[in-house]
Amino acid sequence: MQITVIGCGYVGLVTAACFAEMGNRVACVDADEERIAALQRGMSPIYEPGIEGLLQTNRRAGRLTFHPQLGPGLSHSDIVFIAVGTPPALDGSADISQILGVAAQLGVLLDSPSIVVCKSTAPVGTACRVQAILDQLCQRRGLGWQHRVVSNPEFLKEGAAIDDFMRPDRIILGTEDADAERTMRQLYEPFVRNHDRILCMPRRAAEMTKYVANTFLATKISFINEVASLCELLGVDVEEVRKGIGADPRIGHHFIYAGCGYGGSCFPKDIRALLHMAREHDTELPILTAVEQRNQAQKGWPLRMLRKVYGERLAGCTVAVWGLSFKPGTDDIRDAPSRELIDELLAAGTMVKAFDPVAGDNIARAYPAAVARGQLQLFSDPYVALNQADALALLTEWKQFRQPDFALMAQLMRAPVIIDGRNQYDPAVVGAHGFRHLGVGRLPVDAPAPLLRKVV
Ligand SMILES: NC(=O)c1ccc[n+]([C@@H]2O[C@H](COP(=O)([O-])OP(=O)(O)OC[C@H]3O[C@@H](n4cnc5c(N)ncnc54)[C@H](O)[C@@H]3O)[C@@H](O)[C@H]2O)c1
């Protein structure tokens, strides 16, 4: 098939590369000319395991092309995917102006009936608005046919995006049009060969499904974080509780790890967008309001721990930060917990030495002034970042942080303090190396349970 993908970000690029890999001809369009120029040189503008190889193979085979704008050459696509951003507006709603702008361009440009697919996460009713724009423009141009708009929300996870796209656990198709459904099923057939995982539903239900999936996962995280804060008071290790509840298959082990909060380009903005949709319909969603509040509080946890250790002296300290992306496997720093901690430390006058396997450049670009004055230093070696540090804050659970050389760390640091924002370390193991370990809902190694102390 001839496919156009508009928006070459985390979702658009993966979508384009995976469809091209199946033999389709895919034209990618992005308004960011630098991004397109990099892609034309065979370089990926994002870090995603496996993406560069797929882009290069399919570009060389002539199945993948990159364009800085929608031009006449792209006007005969069978299917056009819209994968542009839907960032949060000031009132929390999803800003869908990029989608609507693309729809208006397509309405003028497309010369034959196409299937236009909304892949971006967008509020309920967006696909219908895109349909209305296209219908109006077709009518104005005197064309005797219509485009068909499908909602096909994306469920890939950054860091495992190629695998998720190639082996999806489900594909949601929102359409009421039998022909569009048939074509979309044909397109996705190579990805679901062993058994059908395509769910077809009305467009509004597809749009709602995406928001509910993300907000449910965020709810699990905030729930365990709330439990962790009570565990701290009760002298219970939340890790024991996590294993205990995860063994129940109705609960499961996924997304119940206590930590310093979720970030990224999806969960925070999607919760706010769903809350806004509710407000527009004069209703409240108290559970999701609490989920967001808990996450905000949780992002402040590393700083609270640093203040607990150093109090007012934090200003004169040096804090090493390991892990800057919002999760392992990506260079995406949007809404990452590292941003909140770095902001606070810089404001407090603390020196920050940071390391991340792939996200360092993005952080350097986000804090040019702090980097220029030397208050924020980025390192390409995690151990060098620890030199003379008064504490290490671990914020992203990259695999390489799991079994570091604790003896070397203790030698390098000025004070052996670990703020373990992802509960990566066994307090007893790091304690044996002389570290003071503060985990989320975990017990200090030698601390008697607070309740027992009270009884005594
Ligand atoms: N990142 C994820 O893990 C993920 C997962 C599922 C769904 N989503 C959703 O997918 C959508 C895209 O997310 P993303 O992370 O890929 O965003 P992104 O910001 O990485 O990419 C969006 C791209 O669209 C381009 N763009 C904006 N306006 C354009 C226009 N008029 N013409 C051409 N290009 C234009 C931007 O330059 C950018 O490269 C969002 O709605 C997001 O919520 C994201």
Side-chain angles (χ1 to χ4, degrees):
M1 287 192 209
Q2 178 71 49
I3 297 170
T4 297
V5 175
I6 305 172
C8 297
Y10 292 88
V11 167
L13 265 189
V14 171
T15 303
C18 292
F19 283 138
E21 182 72 4
M22 295 301 174
N24 298 288
R25 298 175 75 80
V26 186
C28 303
V29 182
D30 200 288
D32 181 338
E33 292 189 9
E34 268 181 45
R35 186 162 276 233
I36 289 296
L39 285 162
Q40 286 169 338
R41 289 195 303 274
M43 286 161 62
S44 172
I46 56 162
Y47 174 84
E48 181 60 46
I51 190 77
E52 214 144 76
L54 275 188
L55 292 176
Q56 280 167 10
T57 320
N58 287 286
R59 195 175 62 94
R60 277 196 219 108
R63 289 192 295 268
L64 203 49
T65 54
F66 301 99
H67 311 265
Q69 57 211 3
L70 271 167
L74 307 175
S75 62
H76 290 287
S77 298
D78 301 305
I79 307 181
V80 180
F81 280 87
I82 305 179
V84 295
T86 47
L90 281 179
D91 62 0
S93 63
D95 175 357
I96 57 167
S97 58
Q98 293 177 23
I99 296 183
L100 301 183
V102 167
Q105 277 183 286
L106 289 172
V108 174
L109 194 77
L110 290 173
D111 287 332
S112 54
S114 294
I115 294 176
V116 174
V117 182
C118 292
K119 200 155 219 9
S120 305
T121 304
V124 174
T126 303
C128 293
R129 286 180 71 180
V130 170
Q131 183 76 64
I133 291 172
L134 292 173
D135 287 352
Q136 201 183 32
L137 288 165
C138 279
Q139 221 174 18
R140 203 178 290 165
R141 292 170 69 197
L143 306 171
W145 38 259
Q146 273 188 311
H147 301 294
R148 280 147 309 160
V149 178
V150 172
S151 167
N152 170 219
E154 182 49 56
F155 294 92
L156 61 76
K157 302 181 287 295
E158 286 177 27
I162 308 269
D163 204 46
D164 286 346
F165 200 96
M166 291 293 195
R167 278 177 280 277
D169 42 27
R170 82 290 214 190
I171 290 163
I172 303 281
L173 295 181
T175 178
E176 289 88 354
D177 182 293
D179 283 344
E181 179 183 339
R182 203 172 308 117
T183 308
M184 291 300 289
R185 280 185 181 273
Q186 215 179 321
L187 175 70
Y188 276 113
E189 197 274 335
F191 302 91
V192 292
R193 284 188 85 87
N194 58 358
H195 69 278
D196 188 8
R197 276 154 287 156
I198 297 177
L199 297 169
C200 200
M201 57 183 74
R203 290 185 287 205
R204 294 171 69 85
E207 290 165 334
M208 186 66 171
T209 300
K210 174 65 194 175
Y211 279 103
V212 175
N214 272 2
T215 53
F216 185 74
L217 293 173
T219 302
K220 287 183 86 174
I221 297 173
S222 277
F223 176 77
I224 197 70
N225 282 336
E226 191 155 286
V227 168
S229 67
L230 183 59
C231 281
E232 268 168 33
L233 299 174
L234 297 178
V236 173
D237 185 346
V238 74
E239 275 295 286
E240 306 286 358
V241 177
R242 175 184 69 75
K243 290 176 200 156
I245 62 169
D248 181 336
R250 293 169 304 175
I251 296 174
H253 290 287
H254 296 295
F255 278 80
I256 53 166
Y257 289 85
C260 57
Y262 58 77
S265 65
C266 294
F267 287 7
K269 88 169 166 57
D270 292 349
I271 288 222
R272 282 172 218 147
L274 200 57
L275 288 171
H276 187 268
M277 277 182 249
R279 280 198 301 277
E280 277 186 326
H281 288 81
D282 294 325
T283 192
E284 302 286 328
L285 302 177
I287 293 179
L288 287 187
T289 305
V291 167
E292 204 204 353
Q293 282 168 355
R294 160 56 61 183
N295 196 55
Q296 273 314 112
Q298 211 64 22
K299 281 178 160 181
W301 179 88
L303 185 73
R304 284 199 298 281
M305 293 305 107
L306 286 165
R307 288 212 185 281
K308 187 170 165 180
V309 177
Y310 288 109
E312 291 307 309
R313 286 180 296 134
L314 190 58
C317 288
T318 295
V319 173
V321 179
W322 277 6
L324 303 167
S325 55
F326 83 92
K327 68 170 182 176
T330 181
D331 61 349
D332 197 341
I333 58 165
R334 289 177 282 188
D335 261 329
S338 67
R339 302 293 303 270
E340 178 133 347
L341 180 63
I342 292 173
D343 286 344
E344 296 285 354
L345 291 177
L346 293 178
T350 307
M351 169 79 97
V352 183
K353 294 182 165 188
F355 167 80
D356 187 280
V358 297
D361 288 350
N362 284 344
I363 284 288
R365 271 192 287 275
Y367 296 94
V371 170
R373 66 176 181 271
Q375 194 188 351
L376 172 60
Q377 296 177 18
L378 291 146
F379 295 89
S380 53
D381 182 313
Y383 294 100
V384 180
L386 295 178
N387 210 6
Q388 293 302 302
D390 297 289
L392 162 65
L394 183 127
L395 304 185
T396 316
E397 64 278 32
W398 286 93
K399 282 199 186 86
Q400 72 180 85
F401 299 149
R402 283 194 192 156
Q403 289 181 322
D405 184 339
F406 291 118
L408 175 61
M409 290 164 69
Q411 264 175 36
L412 291 168
M413 293 174 70
R414 190 155 49 201
V417 175
I418 296 180
I419 310 294
D420 186 355
R422 297 296 172 190
N423 285 351
Q424 290 295 285
Y425 302 132
D426 180 338
V429 172
V430 287
H433 284 91
F435 280 98
R436 177 169 179 194
H437 175 264
L438 295 98
V440 183
R442 307 220 63 187
L443 300 181
V445 203
D446 51 354
L451 279 185
L452 288 181
R453 247 189 291 160
K454 256 185 206 166
V455 172
V456 172

